[in-house]
Amino acid sequence: MKKIGLLSDTHSYLDERILHHLADCDEIWHAGDFGTAAVVEALQELAPLRGVYGNIDGQDVRQTQPLVQRFKVEGLRVLMTHIGGYPGHYSSAARPLVTHERPGLFISGHSHILKVIPDPKLQLLHLNPGAAGRHGFHKVRTLLRFEVEAGKVQKLQAVELGLRVG
């Protein structure tokens, strides 16, 4: 069993609320738009990090984070990219990846909208943790916490971190 903290769209912002909710995680996953390499480094100090770069990330982040992550955790195949869409509305870049690779879990960020959507057609779960940073149109900063055991996502929690401007 692995405890996972999933966030996205930090846009160079980390605060004590984020760090508190990630403190007991076995791994941290970031679905892009870190903002700076300093955010990557701070998260790596907490736990092993798996991330992807987003559309606002510069070369400092792109040198260490790929566009797409493919990995397996506790028997669960995971596919993560920043701009991916969601079931029924996958992005043109993500659609062939999802249909060809058939992950059990597909993660994307970018929209700043927290989403948890099963895709029965492709037999996967889609997660978008919303935005943990202060930049964007979202009103409440969010992240997701969950466990992966025996190939399944369990104990999924949406965490509200407070107002975007607060």
Side-chain angles (χ1 to χ4, degrees):
M1 185 268 299
K2 294 245 186 207
K3 292 181 182 179
I4 308 299
L6 173 62
L7 70 164
S8 185
D9 296 277
T10 46
H11 291 261
S12 305
Y13 182 76
L14 283 180
D15 67 358
E16 288 304 315
R17 291 178 188 154
I18 295 170
L19 299 176
H20 168 77
H21 287 288
L22 299 178
D24 68 339
C25 293
D26 297 314
E27 292 185 7
I28 298 169
W29 301 351
H30 194 296
D33 280 0
F34 287 89
T36 63
V39 171
V40 174
E41 293 161 8
L43 293 174
Q44 287 172 328
E45 288 178 12
L46 288 177
L49 174 68
R50 297 179 194 258
V52 293
Y53 71 79
N55 56 296
I56 66 119
D57 291 319
Q59 287 305 310
D60 59 339
V61 172
R62 291 175 188 228
Q63 288 175 355
T64 63
Q65 306 302 310
L67 175 63
V68 177
Q69 279 271 19
R70 301 160 175 89
F71 54 95
K72 200 171 199 178
V73 172
E74 298 288 315
L76 178 64
R77 292 182 57 170
V78 181
L79 178 67
M80 178 169 43
T81 193
H82 183 60
I83 301 174
Y86 54 93
H89 302 278
Y90 294 115
S91 71
S92 60
R95 188 176 306 109
L97 290 173
V98 172
T99 55
H100 177 338
E101 298 191 23
R102 305 298 255 194
L105 178 60
F106 174 60
I107 297 169
S108 63
H110 187 64
S111 72
H112 291 222
I113 301 169
L114 188 146
K115 292 183 181 186
V116 176
I117 305 173
D119 185 336
K121 182 178 177 184
L122 295 178
Q123 298 179 334
L124 64 82
L125 177 63
H126 167 67
L127 298 179
N128 183 325
R134 287 186 166 175
H135 177 77
F137 65 88
H138 57 286
K139 292 185 187 327
V140 177
R141 300 180 307 114
T142 58
L143 61 80
L144 293 170
R145 291 171 38 102
F146 55 93
E147 295 178 1
V148 178
E149 186 171 14
K152 299 207 182 291
V153 171
Q154 302 177 13
K155 299 182 181 177
L156 180 63
Q157 300 173 305
V159 177
E160 291 188 353
L161 299 164
L163 297 176
R164 177 177 56 85
V165 294

